[in-house]
Structure formats: C-alpha cells, structure tokens
Amino acid sequence: MSGLFKLQLNDNSLSDISELAAKCPGLMELSVSGNKKIASIDQLKPLAELKTLLKIELEGCDIAEDKDYRKPVFAAIATLSNVDGFDKRGIEIPGKIIR
C-alpha cells in the first residue's frame, strides 16, 4: 500500500496503529475518528515515522477527551499541519467549499 495517501479507519475498535508507517509510507491524511481505544499519545508516536503525514482526525477517540490533546499530538508527529481541523496555533482550518 505504498501508493496510499489517504486512509479512513473510522468507528472501529482499533487500539494499535503502529504498523501503518511501515505499510503506508506515503500516507498524508489519516482518520481514525471514533476509535475509543486510541487513548494515549504513545499509541500515536509510531506515526512520527511517516515523513509525509500532514493531517490526522482523532475526534471520538479517548485521546480527544482531553481539552488540550492537540498540542502533544503536534509535538509527537512533527510533520502534522492539521489535527481535527485545527493548526498548531489552534486556528481552525476551513474545509473545502463545494459549489
């Protein structure tokens, strides 16, 4: 799956996503929203191996229950520019406008 750049694994019972970096090295966008068992920053740290990952969606995961969860996610994965629709400064990134 080296050519895969966007992956949605929403609303499953995932707890271990550590092999994604090896299996999808070109991943740019990852959505794991609704996976309640993703509860700690340690579960996300293996994604730092992805040198292309720009966006991650974590809404509905236990890790997102913490008010300031985005800050450690940005720190753990340096390539990220978007965590749940917000940048590193906490500014909301507008979605695409469909006309």
Side-chain angles (χ1 to χ4, degrees), residues 1 3 5 12 14 22 28 35-37 43 45-46 53 60 63 72 77 81-82 86 88 91 98:
M1 293 193 283
F5 68 92
N12 290 288
L14 297 176
M28 297 175 72
N35 285 283
K36 290 297 229 176
K37 294 180 182 179
Q43 290 169 285
K45 284 183 179 177
L53 190 63
I63 193 171
I77 308 169
S81 61
N82 182 327
F86 289 83
K88 292 178 183 182
I91 298 171
I98 300 172

Side-chain angles (χ1 to χ4, degrees), residues 3-98:
L4 191 66
F5 68 92
K6 184 175 183 178
L7 182 60
Q8 293 183 346
L9 299 169
N10 302 338
D11 301 315
N12 290 288
S13 294
L14 297 176
S15 60
D16 183 6
I17 54 175
S18 61
E19 292 187 29
L20 280 178
K23 294 185 183 218
C24 306
L27 203 59
M28 297 175 72
E29 296 182 22
L30 175 63
S31 181
V32 291
S33 295
N35 285 283
K36 290 297 229 176
K37 294 180 182 179
I38 297 177
S40 75
I41 197 68
D42 289 334
Q43 290 169 285
L44 300 177
K45 284 183 179 177
L47 298 176
E49 295 175 31
L50 290 165
K51 301 305 178 200
T52 56
L53 190 63
L54 300 174
K55 178 179 179 181
I56 192 166
E57 296 289 332
L58 298 167
E59 290 178 325
C61 297
D62 275 1
I63 193 171
E65 297 290 322
D66 183 358
K67 178 183 168 197
D68 296 320
Y69 73 97
R70 289 181 187 94
K71 191 172 187 175
V73 174
F74 279 119
I77 308 169
T79 58
L80 287 175
S81 61
N82 182 327
V83 175
D84 286 335
F86 289 83
D87 69 13
K88 292 178 183 182
R89 299 170 295 165
I91 298 171
E92 188 170 8
I93 299 169
K96 293 181 180 178
I97 298 173
I98 300 172

